[in-house]
Amino acid sequence: ALGEDFVAKYLERRNYEILDRNWRIKEGEIDLVAITEFGVVVFVEVKTRTSVAFGHPLEAITKEKAYRLQRLALAWLTINHKWGFEYRIDAAAVLISKGEKIEIDYRIAVL
């Protein structure tokens, strides 16, 4: 949740509006849903870690997770009557070090 908070603030500073957080249906969850000032709906997968000892956080997005994110994005668009809106799926890696230093590696349109 802490990593998601940082990413939400990061997006808001870039004029995104947060539409949903931790949106969930039985097939899974979308961490953040936002919309850009240009009307693009953005689904964000957030991975938070305290180190890269076991790899970069974004390496945790497997092929199966990517497929699930695509299906969840389409479900969100349908349920929220945004079918036909331009959309993309982004990913954010949040590294929180012991000294409370926070780094965000934000990747646009990973899927």
Side-chain angles (χ1 to χ4, degrees), residues 19-91:
L19 300 177
D20 244 324
R21 294 182 71 148
N22 304 113
W23 183 80
R24 186 172 305 183
I25 57 175
K26 68 178 182 173
E27 287 82 10
E29 176 185 321
I30 298 174
D31 296 326
L32 294 170
V33 182
I35 192 164
T36 70
E37 61 187 312
F38 306 109
V40 178
V41 178
V42 181
F43 301 94
V44 185
E45 176 69 11
V46 179
K47 295 295 182 189
T48 305
R49 303 286 186 270
T50 55
S51 79
V52 292
F54 298 103
H56 191 276
L58 296 182
E59 292 174 6
I61 301 174
T62 63
K63 184 186 291 187
E64 292 78 20
K65 177 70 172 178
Y67 288 142
R68 188 174 331 113
L69 286 169
Q70 290 171 330
R71 288 191 309 273
L72 289 167
L74 294 175
W76 188 95
L77 289 167
T78 302
I79 290 168
N80 288 279
H81 308 288
K82 303 263 191 258
W83 192 251
F85 274 54
E86 183 179 348
Y87 75 96
R88 68 174 197 249
I89 300 173
D90 295 356

Side-chain angles (χ1 to χ4, degrees), residues 11-25:
L11 293 173
E12 288 170 338
R13 286 193 303 271
R14 285 156 181 76
N15 296 321
Y16 288 54
E17 177 187 348
I18 304 301
L19 300 177
D20 244 324
R21 294 182 71 148
N22 304 113
W23 183 80
R24 186 172 305 183
I25 57 175

